[in-house]
DNA sequence: CTATAATCGAGACGGTACGTCACGTCTTGAT
DNA sequence: ATCAAGACGTGACGTACCGTCTCGATTATAG
């Protein structure tokens, strides 16, 4: 995303000089994520990251131009992974997706991803790449689930996918947020229960006259 | 919240020395909110706030103990307001609430409130007060709407209010987030449309076999 | 020389804000001279100076723009002092002056002054002030001695003072230089002997046909 | 002095790998002297030297262990040359020597030599070699001149040679120093005039009662 | 009317992290 | 084995901000 080795084979450089230490990227990103998790944004220090990764500051600054960039990529590379889902039914897909999301947002890396997403959204001048990555990774998922559901006739055709996406992602995010605000620690079972309720709601609604089964 | 004149609601503070300049609080809070909105947390500077408010740093530090406290109160005082809602029907209430929320999160102050909420949740050691304020302000709203709906028989009794709250708040928040990430500018009409879809979903669901009306 | 408090009463500032800590200048200059003496120019560190003076780096950088400036002033203020001389005879004056100079250049502060003088002369873009100070302090001394000597009829009138100054100052400087290069440690008596030989030479010369008495 | 090809004067260095590039030493030394002359010690950079010499850093560090060593040799090899002198009379020898010295110290390479000499003297822990070289090159000169003069009966026998050396070298050095401090540019004729005055002084003195001719 | 005292704008203070730069070392492929 | 290139760990540079402190000036009450 920032370091040259990612933008492959474009420049005139062909391996002149000492190559960049292969493991360095990973060590630094891991250290960054760990520091961020332990001390938060205000206590996130480049010196500490370098020290923890057993790496000089120059090695860090050769790869990322500044603190924001490092943190953003640390989160992008490890805080945006989401397994694909395909169970055969709409309810199954959505329940699986919601569970995955809840687990993701409750995990340190996932939560870090959330924070950086909001920071990025608040400072649009820097790093629009991250925004695109988020949209790419997460936007597709619900879209595909809905397409398959419509093909199977399980879903109202005309319903805007965006609203569904927002509700599910938003609910999972808020759930993770409130866990932290209230000092709760939700178990895996709690998350699954919450996921089922959420899916029940978006599938069949909460109004009494829509409760069919 | 932090400064004495607020905690001691006992009237016009009698003392010997020079009284605190009346307008200072407001000017500082406004400046803080503006700085935060423009530069984000990383670029939020006490010196800049004081300069922007045409105030000395001591005037700021006499009122708030540190940066977090000032920022928190700035956001609390202007980024957490939400009008009460009571239209007589569940659908009306929820639509009104969702519209209010969307407008709120799309506004600068509301968005700042969101950011601080996430920052606070990530650094639990400081300023739990803010977490309580958020829960207090926002938690009650949905609860009351649901209580009235249940009394009117409009809503499944057993449905957990939390899941509904999370879905609505989360959806509104994500909507504001994605507006910024994608560089959109949503009109008021857009927001109302989105609110109606959202409420339709949580009320009657998106499954084909639940579409009764 | 650099800090505002020296360029008195010119600016519009009239004591607004906290005044600069009075003792700070002295402490910092002393620390700088000590560090320079112990570690030399290559090992002369601003952090170390600040630490030794129990002072923050900002306090140093408020007064001097950079390392060169601090070092230059440290030396100027303590490495350029030279007692006035007036014994009544030319030989007495010159002997006294030469002894003083030898002692001065052999002392740590005096030697530091020599080094900075040469550094300054090599980088004329920075800090010509120092050059002027050196010329001012040292140039006058020999001039006055010679004027008195001419009035007393002890000295060839037409002889250029500059050549005399250069010989005496240069000899003293080289003597200190060679002491260090050779690892000698000259005693006070050594210095006085050297001073007498030097004065004998410039007064009566080394040629056999000029040895009158 | 440091690199193997110099210390082992045993001929054309037979080895297995690629021989060292012949012109490299000279290019690097020249670049070093130029950089030192332009930027002084504080701005003297190994990277800049290598870049200016169109050479990799390893090529430099294969030959000299560190910055000091390179600089010292650069100066030693080009900043210490001094032509031998033998005119047949003491006055002629000294005048010639003084003129040579003045020209030398006023030249860039000679001045660089002066600076390094002082730097070396201030950091005795490193590079005593340089000190020895200076003493070797410059010390002998005056000694021989004086020996011949004594043999010819032109000079007081008992006069210590050191004092004379110091006076002449010091005067020349100070003259070059003051030219730079005052921003003068001395012509060749100026230097010769100064040399004559200097020699007149050390030969016959400045006292009125010693002026014989 | 004077003394006392809290607050004001300004800005210096001791610290700490920033992002840059140079050191001297190391590692590559090419000569 | 040496070359040019350039990444490496280290550590100082000079800047900016934190939260504290000190100043003279202002503005109220208390005596």
């Amino acid at each position: 995303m920032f370091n040259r080795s990612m933008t492959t084979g474009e420049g005139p450089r062909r391996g002149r000089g000492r190559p960049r230490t292969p493991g360095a990227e990973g060590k630094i990103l891991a250290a960054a994520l760990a520091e961020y998790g332990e001390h938060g944004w205000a206590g996130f220090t480049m010196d500490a990251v370098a020290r923890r990764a057993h790496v000089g500051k120059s090695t860090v600054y050769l790869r990322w131009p500044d603190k924001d960039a490092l943190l953003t990529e640390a989160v992008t590379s490890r805080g945006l992974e989401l397994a694909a889902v395909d169970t055969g039914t709409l309810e199954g897909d959505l329940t699986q997706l919601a569970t995955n999301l809840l687990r993701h947002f409750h995990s340190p890396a996932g939560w870090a991803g959330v924070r950086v997403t909001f920071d990025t959204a608040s400072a649009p001048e820097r790093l629009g790449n991250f925004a695109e990555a988020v949209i790419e990774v997460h936007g597709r998922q619900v879209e595909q689930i809905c397409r398959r559901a419509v093909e199977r006739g399980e879903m109202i055709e005309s319903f805007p996918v965006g609203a569904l996406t927002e509700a599910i992602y938003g609910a999972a995010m808020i759930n993770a947020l409130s866990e932290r605000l209230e000092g709760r620690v939700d178990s895996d079972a709690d998350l699954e229960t919450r996921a089922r309720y959420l899916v029940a709601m978006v599938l069949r609604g909460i109004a009494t006259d829509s409760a069919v089964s």
Side-chain angles (χ1 to χ4, degrees), chain A residues 1 5 15 38 49 56 71 77 93 106 109 149 158 167 187 189 197 205 211:
Chain A
M1 182 174 245
S5 57
E38 289 178 16
V49 169
L71 184 51
S77 66
D93 280 5
H106 280 251
S158 60
S187 71
Y197 272 114

Side-chain angles (χ1 to χ4, degrees), chain A residues 36 39-42 75 110-121 130:
Chain A
Y36 186 67
H39 307 300
W41 162 253
V75 168
W111 179 252
V114 169
R115 285 198 67 187
V116 173
T117 307
F118 277 85
D119 283 344
T120 302
F130 183 70

Side-chain angles (χ1 to χ4, degrees), chain A residues 94-95 98-99 102 190-200:
Chain A
L94 289 182
T95 306
T99 307
L102 280 163
D190 292 334
L191 300 186
E192 282 178 36
T193 303
R194 184 58 94 188
R196 262 196 297 277
Y197 272 114
L198 176 60
V199 172

Side-chain angles (χ1 to χ4, degrees), chain A residues 2 13 20 61 65 88 90 93 118-120 122 155 175 195:
Chain A
F2 295 101
R13 293 285 159 282
R20 294 194 174 173
Y61 279 102
L90 176 57
D93 280 5
F118 277 85
D119 283 344
T120 302
S122 303
M155 182 176 159
N175 190 265

Side-chain angles (χ1 to χ4, degrees), chain A residues 51-94:
Chain A
R51 215 176 310 121
R52 183 190 277 249
H54 301 294
V55 142
K57 278 208 292 177
S58 58
T59 304
V60 178
Y61 279 102
L62 267 176
R63 291 167 167 76
W64 297 274
D66 57 19
K67 205 156 90 152
D68 285 335
L70 169 59
L71 184 51
T72 300
E73 181 158 348
V75 168
T76 308
S77 66
R78 320 218 163 190
L80 282 182
E81 295 148 7
L82 199 60
V85 155
D86 189 358
T87 63
T89 67
L90 176 57
E91 180 148 18
D93 280 5
L94 289 182

Side-chain angles (χ1 to χ4, degrees), chain A residues 10-46:
Chain A
E10 23 113 297
R13 293 285 159 282
R14 300 284 294 104
R16 295 229 288 188
R18 174 175 176 173
R20 294 194 174 173
T21 304
E25 257 94 31
K27 284 198 304 180
I28 297 170
L29 290 174
L33 218 49
E35 285 288 322
Y36 186 67
E38 289 178 16
H39 307 300
W41 162 253
F44 179 76
T45 289
M46 292 301 260

